[in-house]
Amino acid sequence: MAFDINDFKQKGLRYGGARPSLFEVIVTPPPGVAVAAAGIEKFPFVCRAAELPESTIGNIEIPYFGRKIKVAGERTFADWSVTVMNDEDFAVRTMFEAWQNAINTIVSNVRIANPIEDYKTLIDVTQFAKDGEAIRSYQLVGAFPTAVSGITLGWDSANAIEEFTVNFSYDYWIPLIIGTTVLS
Protein backbone atom coordinates (compact mmCIF):
# COMPACT_ATOMS: atom_id res chain seq x y z
CA MET A 1 0.00 0.00 0.00
CA ALA A 2 1.46 3.33 -1.04
CA PHE A 3 1.14 6.41 1.11
CA ASP A 4 -1.54 8.80 -0.13
CA ILE A 5 -2.53 11.82 1.98
CA ASN A 6 -5.90 12.00 0.24
CA ASP A 7 -6.72 8.45 1.39
CA PHE A 8 -5.91 9.47 4.95
CA LYS A 9 -8.09 12.58 4.70
CA GLN A 10 -11.01 10.53 3.34
CA LYS A 11 -10.66 7.38 5.48
CA GLY A 12 -8.77 8.46 8.61
CA LEU A 13 -9.87 11.37 10.76
CA ARG A 14 -12.43 12.52 8.25
CA TYR A 15 -14.21 14.81 10.71
CA GLY A 16 -11.06 16.18 12.36
CA GLY A 17 -11.06 13.85 15.36
CA ALA A 18 -13.28 13.75 18.45
CA ARG A 19 -12.26 16.30 21.09
CA PRO A 20 -11.97 15.11 24.71
CA SER A 21 -13.00 18.53 26.06
CA LEU A 22 -16.48 18.37 24.51
CA PHE A 23 -18.43 16.37 27.07
CA GLU A 24 -21.11 16.62 29.73
CA VAL A 25 -21.92 14.45 32.74
CA ILE A 26 -25.35 14.50 34.35
CA VAL A 27 -25.65 12.98 37.82
CA THR A 28 -28.97 13.01 39.61
CA PRO A 29 -28.86 11.49 43.09
CA PRO A 30 -31.63 8.96 43.68
CA PRO A 31 -34.86 9.95 45.48
CA GLY A 32 -33.81 8.09 48.64
CA VAL A 33 -30.93 10.56 49.14
CA ALA A 34 -31.73 14.01 50.53
CA VAL A 35 -29.45 16.54 48.80
CA ALA A 36 -29.76 20.23 47.98
CA ALA A 37 -30.72 21.16 44.42
CA ALA A 38 -27.74 23.53 44.21
CA GLY A 39 -25.24 20.66 43.94
CA ILE A 40 -27.27 18.85 41.27
CA GLU A 41 -27.60 22.00 39.15
CA LYS A 42 -23.95 22.99 39.53
CA PHE A 43 -22.37 19.58 38.86
CA PRO A 44 -22.38 19.60 35.00
CA PHE A 45 -20.48 22.91 35.08
CA VAL A 46 -17.79 21.93 37.60
CA CYS A 47 -17.21 18.36 36.39
CA ARG A 48 -13.77 19.03 34.91
CA ALA A 49 -12.85 15.53 33.81
CA ALA A 50 -14.53 12.18 33.24
CA GLU A 51 -14.14 9.25 30.92
CA LEU A 52 -16.28 7.23 28.61
CA PRO A 53 -16.84 4.01 30.55
CA GLU A 54 -14.94 0.82 29.87
CA SER A 55 -15.88 -2.82 29.93
CA THR A 56 -13.82 -5.97 29.71
CA ILE A 57 -14.71 -9.43 28.52
CA GLY A 58 -12.77 -12.00 30.47
CA ASN A 59 -11.56 -15.30 29.15
CA ILE A 60 -11.85 -18.86 30.32
CA GLU A 61 -8.89 -21.16 29.76
CA ILE A 62 -9.84 -24.74 29.00
CA PRO A 63 -6.98 -27.25 29.29
CA TYR A 64 -6.85 -30.22 26.95
CA PHE A 65 -3.89 -32.60 26.69
CA GLY A 66 -1.36 -30.05 27.85
CA ARG A 67 -2.72 -27.21 25.72
CA LYS A 68 -5.14 -24.47 26.62
CA ILE A 69 -7.72 -22.81 24.49
CA LYS A 70 -9.40 -19.57 25.46
CA VAL A 71 -13.10 -18.88 25.15
CA ALA A 72 -14.99 -15.69 25.94
CA GLY A 73 -16.06 -15.22 29.55
CA GLU A 74 -18.28 -12.68 31.24
CA ARG A 75 -18.29 -8.92 30.76
CA THR A 76 -17.23 -6.79 33.73
CA PHE A 77 -17.54 -3.05 34.23
CA ALA A 78 -14.70 -1.16 35.90
CA ASP A 79 -15.37 1.55 38.46
CA TRP A 80 -15.73 5.03 36.98
CA SER A 81 -14.58 8.41 38.27
CA VAL A 82 -14.95 12.14 37.72
CA THR A 83 -12.80 15.12 38.71
CA VAL A 84 -14.72 18.04 40.17
CA MET A 85 -13.69 21.69 40.66
CA ASN A 86 -14.70 22.83 44.14
CA ASP A 87 -16.45 26.17 44.68
CA GLU A 88 -16.57 28.05 47.98
CA ASP A 89 -20.17 26.95 48.60
CA PHE A 90 -19.03 23.28 48.62
CA ALA A 91 -22.44 22.44 47.08
CA VAL A 92 -21.25 19.57 44.88
CA ARG A 93 -18.95 18.06 47.49
CA THR A 94 -21.75 18.30 50.07
CA MET A 95 -24.06 16.49 47.63
CA PHE A 96 -21.68 13.53 47.32
CA GLU A 97 -20.96 13.45 51.07
CA ALA A 98 -24.72 13.40 51.81
CA TRP A 99 -25.19 10.62 49.27
CA GLN A 100 -22.46 8.54 50.89
CA ASN A 101 -23.93 9.26 54.32
CA ALA A 102 -27.30 7.90 53.16
CA ILE A 103 -25.53 4.68 52.14
CA ASN A 104 -23.61 4.40 55.41
CA THR A 105 -23.86 7.03 58.13
CA ILE A 106 -20.65 8.38 59.58
CA VAL A 107 -21.44 7.88 63.26
CA SER A 108 -24.06 5.15 63.59
CA ASN A 109 -22.88 2.92 60.69
CA VAL A 110 -26.41 2.38 59.34
CA ARG A 111 -28.03 2.81 55.93
CA ILE A 112 -30.66 5.53 55.60
CA ALA A 113 -31.42 4.81 51.93
CA ASN A 114 -33.33 1.51 51.78
CA PRO A 115 -33.88 -0.49 49.62
CA ILE A 116 -30.90 -0.58 47.25
CA GLU A 117 -32.77 1.43 44.59
CA ASP A 118 -32.90 4.33 47.06
CA TYR A 119 -29.15 4.93 46.77
CA LYS A 120 -28.43 3.82 43.18
CA THR A 121 -29.05 6.06 40.18
CA LEU A 122 -28.42 6.65 36.48
CA ILE A 123 -25.50 8.75 35.23
CA ASP A 124 -25.35 10.06 31.67
CA VAL A 125 -22.03 10.79 29.94
CA THR A 126 -22.26 12.52 26.56
CA GLN A 127 -19.56 13.27 23.98
CA PHE A 128 -20.26 16.20 21.64
CA ALA A 129 -19.01 17.00 18.14
CA LYS A 130 -17.39 20.31 17.33
CA ASP A 131 -20.75 21.55 16.01
CA GLY A 132 -22.36 20.90 19.41
CA GLU A 133 -24.29 17.80 18.38
CA ALA A 134 -24.29 14.84 20.77
CA ILE A 135 -22.42 12.04 18.98
CA ARG A 136 -22.00 9.37 21.66
CA SER A 137 -23.71 8.88 24.99
CA TYR A 138 -23.59 6.25 27.70
CA GLN A 139 -25.82 5.67 30.69
CA LEU A 140 -24.31 4.09 33.79
CA VAL A 141 -27.02 2.03 35.49
CA GLY A 142 -27.11 1.42 39.24
CA ALA A 143 -24.38 3.95 40.05
CA PHE A 144 -23.41 5.14 43.52
CA PRO A 145 -20.36 6.97 44.92
CA THR A 146 -17.84 4.74 46.66
CA ALA A 147 -15.12 7.34 47.31
CA VAL A 148 -14.95 11.11 47.58
CA SER A 149 -11.27 12.04 47.59
CA GLY A 150 -9.60 14.48 49.90
CA ILE A 151 -8.78 18.02 48.82
CA THR A 152 -5.16 19.02 49.09
CA LEU A 153 -4.63 22.32 50.89
CA GLY A 154 -1.33 24.18 50.74
CA TRP A 155 0.08 27.67 51.03
CA ASP A 156 2.00 27.11 47.81
CA SER A 157 -1.20 26.50 45.81
CA ALA A 158 -1.90 30.11 44.85
CA ASN A 159 -3.83 30.76 41.64
CA ALA A 160 -5.41 27.30 41.67
CA ILE A 161 -8.92 25.96 42.16
CA GLU A 162 -9.48 23.06 44.53
CA GLU A 163 -10.38 19.74 42.95
CA PHE A 164 -11.51 16.37 44.18
CA THR A 165 -12.44 13.08 42.55
CA VAL A 166 -15.50 10.93 43.03
CA ASN A 167 -15.32 7.22 42.30
CA PHE A 168 -18.49 5.33 41.38
CA SER A 169 -19.41 1.68 41.24
CA TYR A 170 -22.22 0.74 38.88
CA ASP A 171 -23.94 -2.37 37.57
CA TYR A 172 -23.47 -1.85 33.83
CA TRP A 173 -23.59 0.78 31.09
CA ILE A 174 -25.74 1.05 28.00
CA PRO A 175 -25.13 3.21 24.93
CA LEU A 176 -27.83 5.84 24.43
CA ILE A 177 -26.38 7.40 21.29
CA ILE A 178 -24.38 4.81 19.43
CA GLY A 179 -23.25 6.58 16.28
CA THR A 180 -22.84 4.18 13.37
CA THR A 181 -22.48 0.98 15.44
CA VAL A 182 -25.44 -1.25 16.17
CA LEU A 183 -25.42 -2.66 19.72
CA SER A 184 -27.96 -4.68 21.61
Side-chain angles (χ1 to χ4, degrees):
M1 178 170 146
F3 172 75
D4 185 341
I5 191 67
N6 292 319
D7 279 348
F8 176 72
K9 289 182 346 185
Q10 287 298 314
K11 299 174 186 170
L13 296 177
R14 185 174 174 187
Y15 300 102
R19 307 296 165 89
S21 61
L22 301 176
F23 74 96
E24 179 181 57
V25 178
I26 303 294
V27 174
T28 304
V33 176
V35 297
I40 298 169
E41 293 168 3
K42 187 175 252 187
F43 179 77
F45 300 101
V46 297
C47 179
R48 189 185 67 75
E51 58 190 21
L52 297 178
E54 73 173 86
S55 69
T56 303
I57 295 179
N59 65 54
I60 302 166
E61 291 186 351
I62 303 171
Y64 179 75
F65 280 84
R67 301 279 184 188
K68 293 181 181 177
I69 64 166
K70 295 180 181 181
V71 296
E74 301 299 322
R75 182 185 299 258
T76 58
F77 299 90
D79 283 355
W80 180 80
S81 64
V82 294
T83 302
V84 180
M85 295 181 293
N86 194 34
D87 203 0
E88 288 183 349
D89 63 3
F90 276 72
V92 174
R93 185 171 178 92
T94 300
M95 174 181 73
F96 288 116
E97 290 173 345
W99 192 349
Q100 281 193 314
N101 197 55
I103 295 170
N104 182 269
T105 58
I106 294 170
V107 176
S108 60
N109 193 30
V110 297
R111 178 176 299 147
I112 297 169
N114 273 315
I116 290 173
E117 293 79 22
D118 282 355
Y119 69 82
K120 288 186 168 190
T121 194
L122 303 173
I123 296 176
D124 294 332
V125 185
T126 304
Q127 172 81 51
F128 295 96
K130 293 176 291 304
D131 65 4
E133 181 181 341
I135 55 174
R136 191 77 174 176
S137 184
Y138 296 88
Q139 187 170 74
L140 283 64
V141 178
F144 62 96
T146 57
V148 177
S149 76
I151 296 175
T152 302
L153 306 174
W155 288 351
D156 60 343
S157 296
N159 297 318
I161 295 174
E162 291 179 350
E163 293 182 349
F164 62 94
T165 59
V166 181
N167 193 56
F168 293 88
S169 282
Y170 62 99
D171 297 330
Y172 57 93
W173 56 257
I174 55 174
L176 298 178
I177 299 173
I178 57 176
T180 58
T181 304
V182 177
L183 300 175
S184 56

